[in-house]
C-alpha cells in the first residue's frame, strides 16, 4: 500500500507540474504535441518544473494532517493561509485570495464563514477544493469518513454545492482506486460506486434545501445557495455510456460532454474520465490524455494523476517525470507520514 500512497501524491504533483505548461489553452491539444513535451522536451529543462496552487494546497493539507496527527478543520484553514501568504504567486484562482485574507484578518471561530460570502452568498464553484483533496482520501478509513472530511475541507474555500460535491467525488475516486489491483480495472463497478455516492449527495442536498425552505417561509432572503445543484450523477451516467462505446473517442467529443474549465462540475468529471479511459492503460497515458483535453490542464491532470497514481502506485510513474518536477521528495515524505498515521488508527 505504501507505493500507492506515494503514487497518489506524486501522481497529483506531476500532473500539476506537466499540465501547467498548457493551463488555459482553449480547445484540445494534439496528442503529438503533448507527448513531445512530456516525454521529450522536458529532458532539456535545467530547472525543476514548478508546481502550482494545486500542489501548494495539497501540501498544506498534508502538513496539517501530519502535524496534528488527526483531521482538524481549523488547522487546515491555518495551513492554507500560511501557504498562500508564503507563496501567493503559485497561480491561485482569482477569488480564493479574498477568502485567505478574511481568514487571516478576522480569524473567525467558524472557518467556513469567509467562503460563504463569496459570489453574493453563492460560494465558489471552482475546482480548487477538488484539486487538493487527495491526502484526505489517503488519511480516511472509510467512505463515510472520506465524505465528511472532504466536505469540511471544501467548505473552507468553496461554499457552492457544486464545488463541495466535486471535492467529495474526487476524494472518493482516489479512495476507491487505492485497494484495486492493476491492470484489470472493472470500469463499470468503479462508475457504479461513484454513481451511488453522487445519488446520495444529491438526495441529501434536496432534503436539506426543502427543510430550509420550510423554516424560512415568509422571510425574504437576499442571497441563497442554488436550488438545484449540478447533477454529477447524470454526468457520471453519461461517462459510463461514452466509455462503453469503445476506443474511438475524439477528445473534442469528450470536451463537449464534460467541459475542461475551472468549474468543479467540468474538471472533476474530465479527470475521472481521463483515468477510466486511459489511466486503465498506464499512468503515463492518463496524464497525457488529461492534458490533451485543454482548458484547466494542470488541475485536470493533477486530479487524474491522483486517481491513477492511487491505482498504479509510485513505480509506474515515469522516472523522467519524477526527476523533473519540483517537490517530489516532499510528496514522498508526506505519503510516508500519512501512511504511518493511518496504520496507527
Ligand atoms: P476560485 O474560488 O477563485 O474559483 C475560480 C474562478 O471561478 C473564480 O475566480 C471565478 O472566476 C469563477 N467562479 C467560481 N465560483 C463562481 C460563482 N459562484 N460565480 C461566478 N464565478 C465563479 O479558485 P479555485 O481555487 O476554485 O480555482 C482553482 C483553479 O484556479 C485551478 O485551476 C487553479 O490551477 C487556478 N487557475 C486556473 C487557471 C486557468 O486558466 N484554468 C489559471 C490560473 C489559475
Ligand atoms: Mg494550478
Ligand atoms: Mg488549474
Ligand atoms: Mg507500482
Amino acid at each position: 500500500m505504501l507505493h500507492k500512497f506515494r503514487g497518489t501524491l506524486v501522481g497529483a504533483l506531476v500532473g500539476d507540474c506537466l499540465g501547467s505548461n498548457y493551463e488555459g489553452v482553449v480547445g484540445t491539444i494534439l496528442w503529438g504535441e503533448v507527448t513531445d513535451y512530456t516525454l521529450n522536451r522536458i529532458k532539456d529543462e535545467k530547472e525543476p518544473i514548478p508546481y502550482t496552487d494545486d500542489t501548494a494546497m495539497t501540501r498544506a493539507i498534508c502538513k496539517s494532517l501530519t502535524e496534528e496527527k488527526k483531521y482538524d478543520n481549523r488547522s487546515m484553514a491555518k495551513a492554507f493561509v500560511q501557504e498562500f501568504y508564503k507563496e501567493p504567486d503559485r497561480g491561485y484562482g482569482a477569488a480564493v485570495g479574498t477568502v485567505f485574507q478574511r481568514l487571516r484578518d478576522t480569524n473567525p471561530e467558524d472557518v467556513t464563514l469567509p467562503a460563504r460570502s463569496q459570489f453574493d452568498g453563492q460560494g465558489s464553484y471552482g475546482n480548487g477544493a477538488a484539486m487538493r483533496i487527495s491526502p484526505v482520501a489517503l488519511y480516511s478509513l472509510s467512505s463515510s469518513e472520506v465524505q465528511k472530511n472532504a466536505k469540511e475541507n471544501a467548505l473552507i474555500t468553496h461554499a457552492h454545492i457544486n464545488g463541495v460535491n466535486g471535492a467529495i467525488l474526487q476524494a472518493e475516486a482516489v479512495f476507491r482506486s487505492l485497494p484495486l489491483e492493476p491492470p484489470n480495472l472493472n470500469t463499470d463497478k468503479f462508475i457504479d460506486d461513484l454513481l451511488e455516492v453522487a445519488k446520495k449527495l444529491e438526495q441529501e442536498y434536496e432534503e436539506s434545501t426543502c427543510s430550509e425552505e420550510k423554516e424560512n417561509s415568509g422571510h425574504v432572503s437576499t442571497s441563497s445557495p442554488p436550488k438545484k445543484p449540478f447533477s454529477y450523477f447524470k454526468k457520471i451516467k453519461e461517462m459510463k455510456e461514452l466509455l462503453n462505446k469503445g476506443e474511438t473517442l475524439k477528445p473534442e467529443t469528450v470536451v463537449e460532454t464534460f467541459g475542461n474549465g475551472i468549474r468543479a462540475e467540468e474538471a472533476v468529471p474530465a479527470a475521472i474520465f481521463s483515468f477510466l479511459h486511459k489511466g486503465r492503460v498506464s499512468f503515463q497515458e492518463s496524464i497525457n490524455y488529461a492534458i490533451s483535453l485543454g482548458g484547466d490542464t494542470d488541475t485536470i491532470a493533477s486530479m487524474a494523476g491522483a486517481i491513477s497514481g492511487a491505482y498504479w502506485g509510485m513505480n509506474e510513474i515515469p522516472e523522467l517525470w519524477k526527476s523533473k518536477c519540483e517537490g517530489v521528495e516532499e510528496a514522498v515524505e508526506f505519503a510516508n507520514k500519512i501512511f504511518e498515521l493511518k496504520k496507527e488508527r
Side-chain angles (χ1 to χ4, degrees), residues 74-211:
R74 284 194 69 79
S75 155
M76 288 289 165
K78 202 173 141 201
F80 290 149
V81 170
Q82 273 176 354
E83 179 60 44
F84 177 73
Y85 282 104
K86 196 173 68 172
E87 293 181 323
D89 298 329
R90 286 275 182 187
Y92 285 87
V96 75
T98 315
V99 174
F100 299 135
Q101 194 189 346
R102 291 203 185 119
L103 280 169
R104 185 191 64 176
D105 295 349
T106 65
N107 189 22
E109 185 55 35
D110 177 357
V111 292
T112 67
L113 209 60
R116 273 186 268 148
S117 62
Q118 296 278 88
F119 300 100
D120 294 326
Q122 286 236 323
S124 171
Y125 51 55
N127 55 31
M131 74 184 181
R132 67 182 183 233
I133 210 69
S134 60
V136 166
L138 295 183
Y139 170 77
S140 301
L141 291 172
S142 66
S143 172
S144 59
E145 197 192 358
V146 170
Q147 292 184 32
K148 181 178 170 287
N149 290 340
K151 181 177 180 178
E152 268 193 45
N153 192 284
L155 286 171
I156 300 171
T157 49
H158 291 68
H160 196 291
I161 184 69
N162 298 353
V164 175
N165 284 354
I168 295 174
L169 282 162
Q170 168 64 15
E172 279 275 9
V174 173
F175 184 73
R176 283 155 197 274
S177 288
L178 279 171
L180 301 179
E181 289 288 345
N184 298 314
L185 179 65
N186 185 341
T187 313
D188 281 346
K189 164 88 171 75
F190 194 90
I191 291 187
D192 289 343
D193 288 350
L194 288 184
L195 278 172
E196 217 173 281
V197 175
K199 191 177 189 176
K200 176 182 156 261
L201 294 177
E202 282 156 38
Q203 275 170 353
E204 277 173 5
Y205 186 74
E206 206 172 301
E207 283 162 18
S208 74
T209 46
C210 273
S211 57

Side-chain angles (χ1 to χ4, degrees), residues 309-327:
Y311 179 66
W312 287 104
M314 179 72 169
N315 302 341
E316 299 302 317
I317 301 177
E319 288 305 323
L320 175 67
W321 294 0
K322 288 186 278 199
S323 69
K324 289 292 178 182
C325 295
E326 177 193 8

